[in-house]
Amino acid sequence: MRKLILLLFAIMPAIAFGQGFQVNLHGQKQIGMGHTGTGLLQDGASVLFNPGALAMLPQNYVQAGMSPLLFKSDFNPSGTTDQFRTKNKIATPFTAYGVWGPKDARWKIGLGVYTPYGGLTDWGQDWAGKYSLESLNLKAIYFQPTLSYRVTDFLSLGAGFVYNHGTVDLTRAIPVSNSSGQDGQAELKGNGHGFGWNAGAFFKTNVGLTIGLDYRSQVNTTVKNGDAIFKVPSSLQSSFPQPNTFTTTLPLPSTSSIGLGYKPSNKWTLAVDVNFTKWDVYKTLGFDYAKNTPTLQDTYSPRNYKNGWSYRAGAEYKATDKIFVRGGGGYVTTAVNDGYVTPEAPDANRYYLTAGLGYKVTKNLDLDVSFEYEHLDARTQTNIESQLSGTFKTNVYIPGLSLAYHW
Amino acid sequence: MKTYRSYLHIFLVTGLLGFGACKTSINTPAPSRGTADFSRYISVGNSLTAGYADGGLYLEGQLNSYPSIIAAQMQKVGGGTFTQPLFSTDQADGSGHLILTGFNADGTPKTQQVAATAVRDQITIPGFGNVVLFAKYTGDINNYGVPGIKLQQITYAPYGNLNGYFERLLPGNSPTNTTTYLDFVTAKPYTFFTDWLGNNDALLYATSGGAGDVLTDKAQFSQLYNYSIGQLTKSGQKGAVATIPDVTAVPYFNTVTVGAILAAVQKANPAAKALVINALNADGSHSPRVATAADLIVLTFPTSMIGQPVNTPVGPLPYGLTPYTPIDDKYVLDQGEVAMTQDYVNSYNATIKAAASAKGLAVFDAYAFLNNVKANGLVVDGVNLSSAYISGGIFSLDGVHLTPRGYAVVANEFIKAINKQYNASIPLANVSSYRGVKFP
């Protein structure tokens, strides 16, 4: 008669992808220049930066690049000297663009495949926040066919359709010890898809100034019937029925950008971009399990994100006919309100610095490399849901390389 | 082309160096011992201090005792080594203890007793009874926790013959010991102490349903507590004390409830209206009355007894359901007994706080802390902890003592109190690295 009521063991998977999950690695030339490009005509990456600019591109492009990313976070629980660090795992954002149109035609078509959102965070199984998160691998791959039309010599417009294929793999510890004292574990693993669109406009002025406007819509990505795997002591397995599935929807937010490009001389190109990401659509995160028990309930966690801004600037210097040197930087405001910071992407205001180098291997082939350093401010927080209390600090290191063939 | 190559080379090397070698670090201020000196820390107390858990003292519990967790953190601010009177690994099950073996269909847990492995002998002390003796421990001791000890007994010279856990630490064998507990713990110099004595002065009365033990007199408690604090601080030592939890804050009294038993009885026998207990009257006598939610049933009550026929002068009647066959007093801490225990605990705690205040000692108010956990729960590092039996994560299978996770929470509360009192900054322990109840 020892009445036992197993409490909710706080099975609240928390995919909290802040600005930290917005991956802005969309082209080596643009990375080198501090992620500017909305108001420039650089190469095929305009498919993403501004579909309106495609029709202005002087050539056709096929290009691909990769930016291996190392996300290094540190957590210091409040009142301790402990430091818990994420493991060295390398995420691999990539880009591939194709742009084609008949010579001297007013139109061009394009296709982009790129990874605008994602995250790879692995804190391991022995850190203070293991009941919030052990590891998360989240990827969104966008496929974007695009059409652009040059209305006049100084204005072109373009629009694209977006199909997103997303995958998520999240693990966290469950606070039930087995007979050897080890925690249980929840793993949520699945893939889903979503749709969206984008549009842009590009203006040329006669004083060397170019202006770009770009809008990329929200893409609601629904993961349906993903695997919900619970490893718990056998005496508790009936509370965590197996096999089980989950369904969730992640609203990947819309972004609006304005960019300016300016060529003060034929050696220099300068650019600034301002980018607005409408994170406030991310109000709650819900997980709907196919099989519920008194212990395993559907969960709804408040997120209450706020909109984020990023301010970007960059420059390119044409050192010789074949060599381009680039540099840039930016500042990004956090999307995550105080009290909502979680270890998935311990978001904070951040700045970044970039450098790049371009080399014309042949008349038709560009080799570009880039390097980016991102620093997220230390942020001391107590999460309102988990009460995980401490300071997060993150640095991100991103080298990158791309090849572009144009004709 | 040459220029390009050297550019690229410099670029990539710089990039990759930064990439691999940089370690993100957060600067934390160097922890400080403040005005206290932790070079030799001793812990004074009862079963909670010893690391008792799951109804026994065994190696894993000892290794996760709150004093050992505090001491490990103190070592980050110059604290000395901390030695516990551990059972050997061959005798890891110590006095024996409970383990969880599964759940019945109705969700109630099944436990099993693991046999003792550290019993040396058993002797009979005339006028007292049987005393189980454990394998002797020899060596340095910092953790003086002795399961079962009351404050009332710390100056009682023969006590080392009556408590096998204390006898185990003494050089002599029962029944020849004459060292008092207080003299024993203060024999070797120390610089800092924690003192969590006094629980058993109320708890043993309560866990026996108010039938098998008595509450320590308030005046005697006050006299002994002040005397012991005087002795512990005789050479100017600093320390921390803890108050005594409200007995009703532990799952031992909150898991098997009158309502739950009655509901189960009524399933089989809808005519049953109420449980009957043998309750304390104002004049100290006991008489049968109907049980209410304010009467607390002990965790160990064999509920299968309810309704079993009992022979009475008026014929066989069902146990626990009639005034002729009330539930035995030892299974129930009835409302009057609860009130009396609470009155004593409040008095003890007033003594403890006054004594600490007079000597400038840190106070961990376990009474307030555990009542708050009972009322509101506690969320630490993403874990919902509560006072619930088994699922709460804090209390071990005996419903009174703590799990390693519970002891880690207690250790952190002590550390916070010490830091505050002595302007120190001993780092907190990582609660999530300690386990709750083990499930099969």
Side-chain angles (χ1 to χ4, degrees):
Chain A
M1 197 56 205
R2 294 174 190 178
K3 181 80 177 160
L4 176 84
I5 304 155
L6 280 170
L7 277 191
L8 289 177
F9 282 114
I11 311 300
M12 290 238 179
I15 301 182
F17 53 111
Q19 295 278 72
F21 273 95
Q22 187 171 24
V23 180
N24 289 306
L25 304 165
H26 301 317
Q28 261 52 47
K29 292 188 179 81
Q30 291 79 3
I31 295 169
M33 295 178 67
H35 304 303
T36 57
T38 310
L40 292 179
L41 291 172
Q42 285 278 34
D43 59 8
S46 288
V47 170
L48 180 139
F49 278 92
N50 186 351
L54 287 195
M56 293 280 192
L57 283 172
Q59 289 184 296
N60 295 327
Y61 284 86
V62 176
Q63 66 186 79
M66 185 174 266
S67 305
L69 178 151
L70 189 60
F71 186 85
K72 302 190 80 156
S73 237
D74 183 19
F75 179 67
N76 165 231
S78 294
T80 76
T81 49
D82 300 338
Q83 309 244 353
F84 297 100
R85 295 187 172 88
T86 52
K87 298 194 155 57
N88 282 338
K89 288 264 173 92
I90 294 172
T92 51
F94 65 89
T95 54
Y97 302 106
V99 177
W100 182 83
K103 202 137 184 86
D104 300 326
R106 282 183 170 273
W107 58 271
K108 270 191 166 43
I109 54 169
L111 176 68
V113 182
Y114 52 91
T115 51
Y117 294 96
L120 181 62
T121 322
D122 185 356
W123 292 93
Q125 300 187 350
D126 300 311
W127 80 295
K130 63 186 173 182
Y131 299 117
S132 296
L133 182 80
E134 289 176 346
S135 67
L136 173 66
N137 189 353
L138 180 73
K139 279 184 210 146
I141 303 174
Y142 280 23
F143 299 83
Q144 182 199 323
T146 306
L147 178 65
S148 180
Y149 183 73
R150 198 168 73 233
V151 183
T152 70
D153 282 350
F154 59 88
L155 170 65
S156 64
L157 302 172
F161 166 83
V162 167
Y163 170 81
N164 169 32
H165 175 77
T167 62
V168 61
D169 187 349
L170 175 151
T171 61
R172 69 188 328 203
I174 304 176
V176 287
S177 299
N178 66 13
S179 52
S180 21
Q182 284 158 337
D183 288 311
Q185 193 193 47
E187 180 172 18
L188 301 176
K189 200 173 159 179
N191 58 66
H193 62 266
F195 302 98
W197 57 277
N198 58 16
F202 189 83
F203 307 89
K204 268 185 181 170
T205 68
N206 54 10
V207 291
L209 182 72
T210 48
I211 303 165
L213 296 171
D214 176 57
Y215 176 78
R216 279 174 269 156
S217 77
Q218 181 177 335
V219 178
N220 283 329
T221 299
T222 299
V223 177
K224 235 181 182 170
N225 300 324
D227 293 322
I229 303 158
F230 298 105
K231 290 176 198 148
V232 294
S234 56
S235 62
L236 296 174
Q237 195 71 64
S238 60
S239 294
F240 298 91
Q242 291 288 292
N244 201 352
T245 62
F246 73 96
T247 296
T248 188
T249 296
L250 301 174
L252 303 177
S254 67
T255 57
S256 310
S257 307
I258 179 166
L260 304 177
Y262 183 62
K263 281 182 181 287
S265 72
N266 63 1
K267 290 262 185 205
W268 284 93
T269 305
L270 306 177
V272 291
D273 271 33
V274 175
N275 176 287
F276 172 77
T277 306
K278 199 165 164 31
W279 281 110
D280 71 356
V281 296
Y282 196 34
K283 301 261 188 247
T284 57
L285 175 67
F287 278 85
D288 178 2
Y289 296 104
K291 292 176 197 159
N292 292 114
T293 67
T295 305
L296 184 67
Q297 297 284 326
D298 295 343
T299 61
Y300 298 92
S301 306
R303 285 290 168 266
N304 296 325
Y305 276 28
K306 59 185 176 188
N307 296 327
W309 291 88
S310 71
Y311 308 93
R312 309 164 172 182
E316 181 181 82
Y317 177 70
K318 188 176 173 186
T320 73
D321 279 349
K322 285 178 171 286
I323 293 171
F324 299 82
V325 182
R326 304 183 184 106
Y331 185 78
V332 185
T333 64
T334 181
V336 184
N337 282 304
D338 286 345
Y340 294 89
V341 175
T342 53
E344 286 80 23
D347 208 45
N349 293 330
R350 63 178 70 195
Y351 70 82
Y352 61 84
L353 297 169
T354 69
L357 199 65
Y359 178 63
K360 281 192 176 306
V361 183
T362 71
K363 190 164 70 88
N364 298 109
L365 185 65
D366 299 349
L367 171 73
D368 292 286
V369 291
S370 61
F371 182 76
E372 173 170 357
Y373 166 74
E374 254 184 77
H375 174 79
L376 280 74
D377 292 346
R379 197 167 180 191
T380 303
Q381 290 276 296
T382 300
N383 184 276
I384 55 168
E385 200 170 64
S386 69
Q387 296 295 309
L388 185 65
S389 181
T391 304
F392 285 104
K393 186 174 165 182
T394 305
N395 290 319
V396 191
Y397 305 92
I398 316 159
L401 186 141
S402 70
L403 282 171
Y405 185 78
H406 46 93
W407 70 98
Chain B
M1 188 71 191
K2 221 173 181 176
T3 338
Y4 154 70
R5 273 196 185 134
S6 56
Y7 276 147
L8 183 66
H9 187 73
I10 291 165
F11 179 79
L12 283 180
V13 167
T14 316
L16 288 172
L17 276 181
F19 189 74
C22 291
K23 190 153 97 174
T24 306
S25 275
I26 294 160
N27 294 327
T28 55
S32 151
R33 66 191 178 98
T35 56
D37 174 1
F38 306 114
S39 53
R40 184 163 192 270
Y41 157 51
I42 62 165
S43 54
V44 178
N46 46 50
S47 49
L48 291 164
T49 302
Y52 194 95
D54 302 320
L57 185 66
Y58 64 108
L59 182 59
E60 193 195 354
Q62 293 180 309
L63 290 171
N64 292 295
S65 71
Y66 76 81
S68 71
I69 298 170
I70 293 172
Q73 300 305 112
M74 281 179 175
Q75 281 163 8
K76 296 172 183 173
V77 292
T81 54
F82 189 81
T83 309
Q84 301 197 90
L86 300 175
F87 290 116
S88 70
T89 47
D90 293 344
Q91 299 169 336
D93 286 321
S95 68
H97 58 94
L98 294 169
I99 55 167
L100 185 66
T101 56
F103 298 97
N104 298 307
D106 62 357
T108 58
K110 293 188 278 194
T111 58
Q112 183 187 313
Q113 179 74 25
V114 175
T117 52
V119 172
R120 176 177 106 234
D121 200 358
Q122 177 171 316
I123 63 165
T124 304
I125 303 290
F128 178 76
N130 292 334
V131 177
V132 174
L133 302 177
F134 298 103
K136 282 280 185 188
Y137 172 81
T138 53
D140 203 17
I141 299 176
N142 290 80
N143 186 347
Y144 289 100
V146 167
I149 194 168
K150 294 181 179 183
L151 178 74
Q152 192 202 29
Q153 294 157 334
I154 63 170
T155 56
Y156 183 55
Y159 189 65
N161 303 320
L162 310 181
N163 181 325
Y165 294 107
F166 185 28
E167 198 264 359
R168 170 174 178 256
L169 308 180
L170 295 168
N173 293 334
S174 181
T176 63
N177 290 312
T178 55
T179 309
T180 70
Y181 178 75
L182 189 58
D183 286 344
F184 183 62
V185 305
T186 54
K188 189 173 167 181
Y190 55 91
T191 59
F192 195 89
F193 69 91
T194 56
D195 176 8
W196 199 3
L197 279 167
N199 308 60
N200 288 330
D201 296 76
L203 186 74
L204 295 184
Y205 167 81
T207 54
S208 68
D213 210 310
V214 289
L215 293 157
T216 299
D217 178 71
K218 293 173 188 175
Q220 188 189 13
F221 188 97
S222 173
Q223 182 264 321
L224 275 173
Y225 200 84
N226 283 299
Y227 174 69
S228 63
I229 291 294
Q231 291 298 108
L232 284 166
T233 58
K234 200 157 67 178
S235 313
Q237 293 95 334
K238 293 179 164 118
V241 300
T243 58
I244 298 163
D246 185 346
V247 289
T248 65
V250 300
Y252 187 82
F253 294 107
N254 287 323
T255 305
V256 180
T257 61
V258 169
I261 296 173
L262 194 59
V265 170
Q266 285 170 338
K267 253 187 208 168
N269 176 12
K273 288 279 179 290
L275 298 183
V276 179
I277 60 168
N278 201 15
L280 180 70
N281 298 314
D283 64 2
S285 68
H286 282 73
S287 54
R289 68 164 168 78
V290 167
T292 74
D295 301 311
L296 307 179
I297 313 290
V298 301
L299 182 66
T300 50
F301 175 53
T303 47
S304 58
M305 286 171 72
I306 295 283
Q308 296 296 317
V310 178
N311 286 321
T312 71
V314 293
L317 289 170
Y319 181 82
L321 300 177
T322 76
Y324 300 98
T325 57
I327 297 174
D328 292 82
D329 191 21
K330 64 179 177 181
Y331 296 128
V332 187
L333 194 69
D334 65 64
Q335 190 172 8
E337 292 166 338
V338 169
M340 192 160 87
T341 311
Q342 287 178 327
D343 176 50
Y344 274 69
V345 166
N346 286 334
S347 165
Y348 297 165
N349 284 341
T351 297
I352 291 170
K353 287 182 189 170
S357 170
K359 296 284 182 187
L361 301 175
V363 181
F364 159 42
D365 194 348
Y367 179 89
F369 182 75
L370 286 174
N371 275 354
N372 185 45
V373 171
K374 183 190 169 194
N376 305 315
L378 176 71
V379 185
V380 181
D381 295 345
V383 187
N384 283 312
L385 300 171
S386 76
S387 300
Y389 184 54
I390 295 185
S391 63
I394 294 177
F395 288 95
S396 72
L397 295 171
D398 61 34
V400 172
H401 300 95
L402 307 183
T403 59
R405 181 159 287 161
Y407 282 126
V409 168
V410 160
N412 278 349
E413 292 304 313
F414 263 109
I415 290 171
K416 287 178 199 170
I418 294 166
N419 283 346
K420 193 173 153 208
Q421 184 68 28
Y422 297 112
N423 197 25
S425 54
I426 306 167
L428 298 175
N430 177 10
V431 171
S432 69
S433 68
Y434 294 87
R435 69 162 178 89
V437 170
K438 281 181 175 176
F439 293 88

